[in-house]
Amino acid sequence: MSEFWLISAPGDKENLQALERMNTVTSKSNLSYNTKFTIPDFKVQFPGEEERGHGLGFPLLTGFVFLPKSLIRRMAQSVVEVMEDAKGKVQENLLANGVDLTSFVTHFEWDMAKYPAKQPLVSVVDTLAKQLAQIETDLKSRTAAYNTLKTNLENLEKKSMGNLFTRTLSDIVSKEDFVLDSEYLITLLVIVPKPSYVQWQKTYESLSDMVVPRSTKLIAEDKEGGLFTVTLFRKVIDDFKTKAKENKFMVREFYYDEKEIKREREEMTRLLSDKKQQYQTSCVALKKGSSTLPDHKVKVTPLGNPDRPAAGQSDRERESEGEGEGPLLRWLKVNFSEAFIAWIHIKALRVFVESVLRYGLPVNFQAVLLRPHKKSCTKRLREVLNSVFRHLDEVAAASILDASVEIPGLQLSNQDYFPYVYFHIDLSLLD
């Protein structure tokens, strides 16, 4: 299970014996794996004694209940999105200080260099708050930029999908397919249904006057039909279109603009490159054949030279550019680690604060990390804990058995409160 229970009990002899009983029962019954969770003795101050919790940083900590968990979940999801072509490797990129999350939690050590325990607790909390706020701000700006890039690329890719009636033709046609810069002649593109290929070849020259004989060529086809060129005089365009339509031949409105086609290809290449730079992989967004839908496969027929490559970059060229790790993925990995580490430190701080508020000063408690072996064990494990630590709060222990009993001064539901300090850690970040 990726679930942990972080609890604490007073550190006096009686309660240390209770912890030993808990370890014995949970071990024999195979309920959980238990380890000590070391929390340093923080500098506790009560400035002015205005409110007991203020010197512990309690007001600031209450704002941490949801923020860190929400942040690391969003960061984990961002890793999934960036690694769209390698989702099976996402988990191995979600590490904390170079180790898997479970190992980090079970072997947690307070980072004295980053969060000095000798500082007032309020200062430690403030450092964590600023760190997480900065990570969240950076995450928003970076993911917004990535999503804009992704949207622009998807919009451009949509133009390369569909059938010959709707898709862009800039990656199919070439300059050699057209008569250009002629005052009198123009080349049109006509979509002909597959069953009508023979009819087209027999009739296209007679659909209108002034059609150039033998000027038609098949340059591409999909599941439904083919894209043919035909050259004719400009003055008969309208008449040719009308006659073609009567014969169920559809003239595709397209005029070859070399600058526009070049611009579109360069834009696609740029967007692909920018996206790959965020997470580079050999499986790029524009995969082989992605210029068409699966049920509208376009076969490009080279004109004149059978060795002529299709327009645009080859798949091999695209794939060869995709090695390495991009800046967004690197940033996510580093800052996911930082945010996760901060989250577990906050859990430790909350245990400390709650333990001091419950058990009083001087600080004397023992924190323990429990990892339930399986989901079915959690009910029995809870019963064991409530039995062992019942003496810490008889009212709370009774309320667990009887939900109608209210705990004086407690605004939480009884389900959130136990005789011992308890915090839940769930590492299921991708569910």
Side-chain angles (χ1 to χ4, degrees):
M1 285 182 65
S2 56
E3 176 182 346
F4 293 88
W5 295 4
L6 185 53
I7 70 168
S8 82
D12 56 43
K13 183 177 179 180
E14 178 187 1
N15 286 291
L16 290 178
Q17 289 174 347
L19 285 170
E20 286 301 321
R21 290 199 304 275
M22 176 198 73
N23 287 331
T24 300
V25 174
T26 56
S27 177
K28 285 184 177 180
S29 302
N30 199 30
L31 296 177
S32 63
Y33 172 75
N34 308 337
T35 57
K36 284 187 177 181
F37 193 89
T38 304
I39 301 174
D41 290 337
F42 293 101
K43 187 176 181 180
V44 180
Q45 290 180 328
F46 297 103
E49 298 289 340
E50 296 99 346
E51 186 179 336
R52 189 181 181 201
H54 273 284
L56 297 170
F58 185 75
L60 285 173
L61 277 172
T62 55
F64 275 137
V65 176
F66 302 111
L67 173 62
K69 181 66 178 292
S70 171
L71 177 60
I72 62 176
R73 274 187 177 276
R74 281 182 282 130
M75 297 187 79
Q77 189 56 46
S78 294
V79 173
V80 172
E81 293 174 5
V82 173
M83 297 184 66
E84 59 184 357
D85 298 312
K87 290 186 177 179
K89 297 184 178 181
V90 169
Q91 201 65 53
E92 65 189 57
N93 284 278
L94 298 179
L95 304 176
N97 211 19
V99 300
D100 64 88
L101 306 185
T102 297
S103 297
F104 180 84
V105 173
T106 53
H107 298 89
F108 173 78
E109 292 183 6
W110 186 270
D111 190 337
M112 292 293 186
K114 191 178 291 185
Y115 314 112
K118 291 183 179 180
Q119 288 186 354
L121 195 58
V122 173
S123 299
V124 177
V125 174
D126 187 54
T127 299
L128 283 160
K130 289 178 179 178
Q131 179 188 6
L132 289 171
Q134 185 60 55
I135 291 176
E136 181 161 42
T137 299
D138 291 346
L139 177 65
K140 287 179 179 178
S141 63
R142 288 173 182 268
T143 53
Y146 178 74
N147 289 333
T148 298
L149 170 64
K150 190 175 178 181
T151 299
N152 291 340
L153 181 57
E154 287 172 351
N155 291 336
L156 204 54
E157 285 178 329
K158 284 178 182 178
K159 294 182 180 181
S160 300
M161 301 173 71
N163 57 28
L164 291 170
F165 289 93
T166 58
R167 76 185 310 282
T168 182
L169 302 178
S170 62
D171 60 335
I172 293 177
V173 300
S174 67
K175 187 175 182 179
E176 292 80 5
D177 298 329
F178 297 86
V179 173
L180 301 173
D181 303 322
S182 172
E183 184 179 351
Y184 301 104
L185 296 176
I186 188 172
T187 299
L188 300 182
L189 298 178
V190 183
I191 300 172
V192 179
K194 280 192 173 181
S196 303
Y197 279 11
V198 174
Q199 180 189 354
W200 166 258
Q201 293 287 355
K202 289 181 178 179
T203 62
Y204 80 90
E205 292 179 5
S206 59
L207 290 177
S208 177
D209 295 335
M210 300 184 178
V211 175
V212 178
R214 299 181 182 180
S215 62
T216 191
K217 291 181 181 179
L218 174 65
I219 59 173
E221 60 182 349
D222 63 10
K223 194 174 181 180
E224 298 175 351
L227 186 68
F228 289 80
T229 61
V230 60
T231 302
L232 43 87
F233 279 74
R234 292 180 181 273
K235 61 166 58 177
V236 298
I237 289 178
D238 292 339
D239 182 53
F240 182 87
K241 286 182 178 180
T242 301
K243 295 292 177 55
K245 187 175 182 179
E246 291 174 358
N247 286 271
K248 298 183 179 179
F249 305 140
M250 180 63 66
V251 176
R252 175 75 190 267
E253 296 294 337
F254 181 87
Y255 296 96
Y256 188 87
D257 184 332
E258 193 167 14
K259 290 183 179 179
E260 178 61 23
I261 289 175
K262 182 180 179 182
R263 186 202 64 77
E264 187 174 322
R265 289 174 182 169
E266 288 177 348
E267 178 69 4
M268 174 68 85
T269 301
R270 183 188 67 79
L271 290 173
L272 278 169
S273 176
D274 289 349
K275 185 165 182 257
K276 283 188 290 180
Q277 284 174 10
Q278 303 307 308
Y279 168 68
Q280 295 191 343
T281 175
S282 59
C283 302
V284 297
L286 188 59
K287 300 180 183 67
K288 189 174 183 179
S290 68
S291 57
T292 60
L293 288 172
D295 57 344
H296 289 110
K297 185 176 180 181
V298 171
K299 176 183 177 183
V300 178
T301 305
L303 295 179
N305 181 3
D307 297 324
R308 188 187 75 181
Q313 281 186 302
S314 69
D315 292 297
R316 185 178 298 275
E317 288 172 333
R318 291 175 184 143
E319 291 175 7
S320 66
E321 296 174 0
E323 302 300 325
E325 188 177 281
L328 179 56
L329 179 58
R330 275 199 307 274
W331 184 90
L332 284 169
K333 289 171 64 175
V334 169
N335 286 275
F336 172 86
S337 174
E338 291 295 312
F340 183 88
I341 291 170
W343 180 48
I344 302 303
H345 278 73
I346 289 167
K347 289 287 186 182
L349 281 175
R350 297 190 71 200
V351 170
F352 179 88
V353 170
E354 185 68 21
S355 298
V356 172
L357 291 176
R358 283 216 208 178
Y359 310 141
L361 294 173
V363 176
N364 184 25
F365 67 89
Q366 177 60 59
V368 179
L369 184 72
L370 294 79
R371 185 183 186 188
H373 283 311
K374 48 188 176 181
K375 193 71 176 176
S376 59
C377 294
T378 56
K379 183 178 180 182
R380 173 60 181 152
L381 180 59
R382 186 67 74 189
E383 291 172 352
V384 169
L385 294 179
N386 292 338
S387 174
V388 170
F389 298 109
R390 180 186 180 92
H391 63 281
L392 292 176
D393 192 333
E394 293 286 350
V395 175
S399 72
I400 294 169
L401 299 175
D402 184 0
S404 65
V405 176
E406 294 186 0
I407 304 173
L410 187 69
Q411 297 179 347
L412 300 174
S413 69
N414 293 350
Q415 293 179 341
D416 299 319
Y417 187 86
F418 302 96
Y420 46 90
V421 171
Y422 164 80
F423 289 97
H424 184 250
I425 299 175
D426 184 5
L427 303 187
S428 303
L429 304 177
L430 299 176
D431 295 345

